[in-house]
Amino acid sequence: VQAGQSCPGCNLFQADLSYLDLPGVDVSGARLRQADLSLATMNRANFSRANLSIANLFGARFTAASFAQADLSRATAVGAYFGGANMTGARLDGANLSGAEMATAHGLTQRQLDLACGDESTQLPAGLTISHCR
């Protein structure tokens, strides 16, 4: 995956993908628990059904990526960009979305956001809100 190859269903536990440019990579169904994706650019990537729990997504770019049914519980997505991303059914329990750009994300619901936290700079679709992280 570090070389840009897709790997659906792979075990990428604690993988270091930080700072990488991996457009369109398919890691659907993969185990990315505790992985480091900080400052990576993964536009149009497929994270559908992937386990990204406790992952570090700090400052990463996920333009038009799919997180459908992905587990982002307790992930740190501070300052991450989710423009046009598919968030349908994604688990966000305990996720830190402070400063995240999600205004044009699709499939995001208030119920998902009620389980996450953010701050005044978190950008969300119209009508949705998020609690501040403590």
Side-chain angles (χ1 to χ4, degrees):
V1 173
Q2 290 175 331
Q5 296 297 310
S6 289
C7 196
C10 285
N11 184 358
L12 301 168
F13 176 70
Q14 295 183 336
D16 184 1
L17 304 175
S18 60
Y19 297 94
L20 298 178
D21 185 11
L22 301 170
V25 69
D26 182 358
V27 288
S28 57
R31 183 177 187 230
L32 288 150
R33 184 176 170 87
Q34 297 178 355
D36 186 358
L37 282 67
S38 58
L39 300 169
T41 301
M42 301 178 86
N43 298 330
R44 298 177 319 283
N46 185 355
F47 294 98
S48 299
R49 300 174 321 284
N51 181 348
L52 291 145
S53 60
I54 321 174
N56 181 2
L57 311 178
F58 171 80
R61 293 189 62 83
F62 301 109
T63 305
S66 177
F67 291 91
Q69 309 302 321
D71 183 355
L72 293 154
S73 56
R74 295 185 291 156
T76 300
V78 175
Y81 181 81
F82 295 93
N86 180 358
M87 303 300 290
T88 304
R91 282 191 59 193
L92 299 175
D93 318 30
N96 185 339
L97 304 173
S98 296
E101 209 300 357
M102 306 181 87
T104 59
H106 306 287
L108 199 56
T109 67
Q110 188 61 55
R111 185 172 178 173
Q112 288 169 297
L113 294 172
D114 287 344
L115 300 173
C117 70
D119 65 8
E120 60 282 339
S121 62
T122 304
Q123 297 178 35
L124 300 170
L128 298 181
T129 60
I130 195 163
S131 299
H132 281 230
C133 295
R134 293 180 217 157

